[in-house]
Each structure stands twice: as structure tokens, then as C-alpha cells.
Amino acid sequence: MTSKIKNKELQVAALQDGTVIDHIPVDKLFAVVTILNLPLMPNKITIGFNLQSKKYGKKGIIKISDCFFDDAVINKIALVAPACKLSIIKDYEVVEKRIVKLPNEFTGVCKCINPKCITNAEPMNTRFHVIGEDRKMLRCHYCEQEMNRDEVKLL
Amino acid sequence: MRGDFTTIPFKLRKTMTKSLVNIAELSKEKIQYLLDMAQLFEKDPNLPMLKNQVVATLFFEPSTRTRLSFETAANRLGARVIGFSDPKATSSSKGESLKDTIMMVSNYADIIVMRHYLEGAARYAAEIAPIPIVNAGDGANQHPTQTMLDLYTIYQTQGRLNDLDIYLVGDLKYGRTVHSLIMAMRFFNPTFHFISPEELKMPQPYIDFCDENHINYVIDDEFTAQSISHADILYMTRVQRERFTDLVEYERVKNSFILHADMLTHCKDNMKILHPLPRVNEIATDVDDTKYAYYFEQAKNGLFMRQAILCDVVGITAEDVKSKM
Ligand SMILES: [Zn+2]
């Protein structure tokens, strides 16, 4: 199983140690690039654009050498590109594969769209609940405003 | 337990007390409990339940009516009151954060009653304060003590909360009080009638809320003696000019949602008219002298309900109140 995954990943570019983010919808690729702050990273980075994907038709992929992200960053990716796949590579092997999924509740990551919300006036963390059957909506924990997750601005 | 409250460490106090931020957090049992407690204060509003305690009323947005009601409640309970009614006179106008103001006042007071122009301010204050917060309105979001006094008034005038026909009239789009009332009444099998101009109709999320909670409702744009003849409660709200995007439409409907005494000829004997006040002209003054008018009593009920809530947030029970009667 591991070697099969490895071979597939090698089709784009081999990675010794680092993180692969695959199945990014192409219209969200640059948003993910911004979230990860890639332009300011000294690491070796491969970005694939308009690659073939069974799921989306076309997809994006990002490979970053010697870099592993914490949950806060992964939650940000989940907000703009849910269902992309993140793999941790150690010594050319996939040691961990995870589906990027927003937790039911999270802090930080994005701003509340309500200009009259306390979180936009006070130096404090934002906090959101993921709601709706398709989990496409967020509700601000403070002002209770409901918003589409596509319309929020990232912090 | 009373009297030595300030000697209890902050962390422990926090676990003993509970803020009131949002009406949706109250269970059916808790609502009934608070109604029963308010009834005790209606019988005797001068019980010194909060003797030696300090209640802070922090009004970051002026609201004389609400502040006077809370301060009267606190005073009649024997508490002393500190606070401000004009944020221009405080350091928050110099850029002090809400957190710093709340933490500072928490050193002095046992309860904070807070009104704020920003939404979510009360929730945040309740998270950071070591003492209970009572939300006296946060922007367009929540005003739970208003809803509780509305429930108390309905209960007082009808003898029950179950199975009532409640007619909500006027601005159902922006009217925070009517939205909260729907939410709180979900336990009591009401039938709501939403009567409003098209531009100010009940927003879809509240219609969905009714559907999800199996609340009966009728939508109507006609406001006549006939259309209100089955009402148990007629809840009037202001139709404000500035809420309209189409001023021609405003001119057309502005007189259609005014209640006159001659519209009360067909109504039920037990029917009562409520209004969150202040009114402008949506209830003609000739209604005031009818037996159906109840908005001034409703405002007075705010006192008893706020007494019950001030006691409840610091852990004083209905039993404690009865033992002082
Ligand atoms: Zn918010």
C-alpha cells in the first residue's frame, strides 16, 4: 500500500521529507498558497496546476520540502479547500495521510463578516461553529451571525 | 451563603454563578422557574435579597428605559448600584478595550448588567468576567430580559403559556423582540400570526425555525378587526420609516399597521395588547383606555422579572426568596 502511494506521488516530483497537499480545486490553489505563506518560504516547493483529477476534472497539488504544518494552518486550508488530501512524507514514504476536514468548532482562522460583531472591534480570538447539513455555513460564536464559508476573509 | 460573596476566590465564584446572555440557552423548566420567581417579587418587590451586594450597570449604549428598570430592581433588592449610562464619560471612549473595562468593574461589583452596541459583546464579557453578566441588549442580537418579561406578561394575563394564538404585528424583519419571543415560545405550542408589510416580513430563517420546531404560523398582510378576532395576545411593534428602502411603499403602508380602539370590537375577552415600548403612533392613544391595553403593565413586569434574574445569576433560589417573605 505504502509503495503504491509512493509511486503515484513520484509522478510529479519526488519528495524526501515534507508535506504534500493534493486534490486542491484549481480555483483555490492560490488561496492555499497564500494561507501557507509559500512566497516567503525558503524551502524547496513544487506547485502543480491544472493536473488531471478524477474528482474535479482538474486539480492543484503543492509539495513542500522539510515542512510540517500544525492544526491551525490545516484548519485554514480546510476552510477554503475542504476535502483536499494532505500527506506527511518521511524518507520518501507516506507516513501519515489525512483528509483535511474542518472541526465542528474552531477558533481563529477567519474573520466574522458582521461589521458590528465584537470580534471585529476587540483584540480577541474569533470562534465559529460549522453548521448546516453540508457543513457549508459558519455561525459566529459571539454575534450568532450565520455566513457562507466562501464569503469569509481569512485572518 | 450570602453576604460573604466577595471573599470567595474568583475561579470558584465563576462555577457558582451563571450569566444570562441568550434566551435560547434557557430550558423550558428554567423559563417556568424564573416566571414563578418573578411572581414572588410581584407579591413583594422589597425583599433585601441582594443586601451588601453591588450591581454594576454598564451601558455602552444609552437606554434609559432598560437601565431604570434594572436599577430599580437592584435597589428594591437592597443592592447598591454603580455604573455609567453614557459611554462618552468612560475610558472606553479613550480606546480602553471591553475586556479591561469588564475586568476592572469585576473587582468592584458582584453582578454586571451590560448593554453594548456591538453584537456578541455580552457573550464575550461572560467568558472573561469572574462575575455573572446579565445581557441588557447587544446590538441587534439579544435582549433576553425583554423576552422574559414578555413571557411573564403573557403568563400573567392568560394564566398559561401553552396553546395560545399570538399575533405579531408591524416590523417583523428587524424586530429583535419578536424573533426572541418565537424562540422562547417554542416549548409551548403557540400559533403565531405574522402580520406585516411585505418589506418588513418575517425573515426566512425564523420561518424555518418554526418549521423545524413544529410551531404553527399564519402569514398575513391584513390588519383589521376581523383578522385579529382570534388573538389571545396582540404584540405590536414600531414600523419605522428608516427601515424602508422604498419610501413610496412606506407612505402606502404606514397607516395600515396602526391599532385603533374601533378595531377591538370583535376581539376575544381575554385578549391583551403588548408592546416593547417606546411606541410612536402604532397604537392610537384611544386604545390606552380599553381593557385590552396592557403595555404599561408589561413594562412594570420588567421590574419583577429583572429582580428574579438578578437573584438567579448569583445563585439565590426561589426557596431563598420564599424564606424571606
Ligand atoms: Zn460575529
Side-chain angles (χ1 to χ4, degrees):
Chain A
M1 179 66 194
T2 330
S3 66
K4 199 178 157 199
I5 293 170
K6 185 178 135 189
N7 286 338
K8 227 175 129 188
E9 303 296 354
L10 283 171
Q11 287 168 13
V12 180
L15 188 64
Q16 186 174 356
D17 295 292
T19 304
V20 177
I21 305 161
D22 198 358
H23 297 287
I24 307 169
V26 284
D27 62 332
K28 303 291 186 196
L29 182 72
F30 290 104
V32 176
V33 167
T34 309
I35 291 167
L36 297 176
N37 217 357
L38 298 186
L40 296 177
M41 264 190 189
N43 309 46
K44 206 168 86 185
I45 298 165
T46 311
I47 298 175
F49 191 51
N50 284 339
L51 306 179
Q52 288 306 313
S53 157
K54 284 189 194 121
K55 225 181 196 167
Y56 300 113
K58 283 178 176 170
K59 67 169 184 180
I61 188 167
I62 299 172
K63 300 184 169 206
I64 310 139
S65 289
D66 306 310
C67 188
F68 307 95
F69 299 102
D70 60 24
D71 283 348
V73 176
I74 293 168
N75 282 346
K76 285 192 188 183
I77 298 170
L79 190 70
V80 298
C84 70
K85 293 199 174 64
L86 191 138
S87 309
I88 312 293
I89 314 286
K90 294 250 166 89
D91 199 19
Y92 298 106
E93 299 276 341
V94 176
V95 294
E96 195 189 335
K97 213 167 168 61
R98 49 200 282 192
I99 292 172
V100 175
K101 190 168 174 269
L102 261 188
N104 291 334
E105 199 188 317
F106 61 91
T107 56
V109 183
C110 59
K111 283 176 59 149
C112 178
I113 61 162
N114 178 2
K116 293 188 73 185
C117 178
I118 184 72
T119 61
N120 288 316
E122 184 83 2
M124 62 186 283
N125 268 327
T126 58
R127 187 168 159 193
F128 296 91
H129 302 267
V130 180
I131 56 165
E133 270 171 39
D134 51 8
R135 294 171 52 87
K136 285 222 167 86
M137 302 285 289
L138 302 176
R139 186 176 61 236
C140 175
H141 174 72
Y142 293 98
C143 73
E144 301 176 33
Q145 170 90 43
E146 295 183 0
M147 58 205 97
N148 199 304
R149 56 196 246 177
D150 285 339
E151 62 184 323
V152 295
K153 279 208 180 70
L154 296 172
L155 279 172
Chain B
M1 185 189 129
R2 299 267 54 79
D4 54 356
F5 202 64
T6 48
T7 62
I8 301 169
F10 266 175
K11 284 232 165 68
L12 192 60
R13 275 208 243 171
K14 185 83 183 156
T15 63
M16 294 163 57
T17 61
K18 195 167 176 341
S19 297
L20 178 61
V21 172
N22 182 332
I23 195 74
E25 293 169 340
L26 298 181
S27 67
K28 181 178 180 178
E29 291 69 31
K30 183 75 185 196
I31 288 173
Q32 189 61 54
Y33 174 82
L34 289 172
L35 296 177
D36 292 342
M37 199 153 158
Q39 214 162 31
L40 299 177
F41 288 113
E42 186 182 349
K43 284 187 192 126
D44 187 351
N46 296 308
L47 296 167
M49 305 309 299
L50 295 181
K51 194 165 185 292
N52 296 326
Q53 301 224 26
V54 174
V55 174
T57 54
L58 310 186
F59 278 60
F60 295 90
E61 170 187 70
S63 173
T64 307
R65 196 172 296 272
T66 304
R67 186 173 57 82
L68 289 180
S69 176
F70 268 110
E71 292 188 353
T72 308
N75 276 304
R76 288 192 182 273
L77 290 166
R80 277 160 291 177
V81 177
I82 61 169
F84 53 83
S85 55
D86 180 3
K88 285 191 213 77
T90 71
S91 42
S92 60
S93 66
K94 295 179 201 143
E96 187 180 52
S97 68
L98 174 61
K99 180 179 183 177
D100 288 8
T101 306
I102 293 292
M103 295 314 280
M104 185 262 301
V105 174
S106 295
N107 289 328
Y108 307 142
D110 301 283
I111 303 170
I112 290 175
V113 174
M114 183 177 109
R115 187 177 186 102
H116 205 286
Y117 50 91
L118 290 173
E119 291 151 28
R123 165 85 58 213
Y124 178 58
E127 284 179 0
I128 56 172
I131 63 172
I133 302 286
V134 178
N135 185 3
D138 60 331
N141 187 30
Q142 289 279 330
H143 190 11
T145 63
Q146 173 71 47
T147 311
M148 283 308 299
L149 79 88
D150 291 345
L151 290 185
Y152 185 70
T153 307
I154 294 170
Y155 184 59
Q156 183 190 50
T157 59
Q158 307 298 319
R160 64 191 159 102
L161 287 176
N162 285 309
D163 311 318
L164 295 169
D165 275 76
I166 301 177
Y167 287 53
L168 306 176
V169 183
D171 180 358
L172 306 186
K173 184 175 179 184
Y174 299 100
R176 164 178 72 179
T177 52
V178 295
H179 301 156
S180 296
L181 189 60
I182 294 173
M183 194 153 286
M185 285 300 293
R186 72 190 183 283
F187 301 119
F188 305 104
N189 190 39
T191 299
F192 281 108
H193 295 249
F194 302 142
I195 305 180
S196 71
E198 175 63 23
E199 267 216 54
L200 300 178
K201 67 179 187 203
M202 186 60 74
Q204 192 59 39
Y206 297 101
I207 302 282
D208 293 342
F209 179 85
C210 289
D211 289 333
E212 284 158 21
N213 289 276
H214 309 290
I215 296 172
N216 304 311
Y217 61 90
V218 179
I219 297 172
D220 204 347
D221 58 4
E222 201 169 288
F223 185 49
T224 63
Q226 299 299 334
S227 75
I228 60 173
S229 61
H230 290 289
D232 296 306
I233 293 290
L234 193 56
Y235 199 106
M236 301 291 299
T237 64
R238 256 175 303 165
V239 174
Q240 292 164 282
R241 189 171 187 268
E242 57 268 28
R243 297 298 196 196
F244 281 79
T245 49
D246 181 354
L247 288 180
V248 178
E249 178 67 9
Y250 170 74
E251 291 301 325
R252 195 178 70 77
V253 303
K254 68 175 182 187
N255 293 323
S256 312
F257 297 90
I258 296 176
L259 182 66
H260 297 277
D262 61 12
M263 291 169 67
L264 300 169
T265 47
H266 293 67
C267 62
K268 286 167 78 170
D269 214 39
N270 62 306
M271 195 277 276
K272 289 286 180 273
I273 302 158
L274 309 189
H275 189 295
L277 300 181
R279 75 170 150 177
V280 183
N281 63 348
E282 56 279 359
I283 302 175
T285 47
D286 62 1
V287 176
D288 297 358
D289 301 326
T290 69
K291 65 173 182 173
Y292 307 107
Y294 209 74
Y295 22 94
F296 297 120
E297 290 88 342
Q298 176 189 8
K300 184 177 179 186
N301 285 339
L303 170 63
F304 312 131
M305 185 38 85
R306 287 176 176 124
Q307 288 185 297
I309 288 165
L310 288 176
C311 287
D312 184 65
V313 294
V314 292
I316 295 171
T317 65
E319 285 309 308
D320 295 337
V321 177
K322 277 182 203 156
S323 71
K324 290 263 175 158
M325 291 181 87

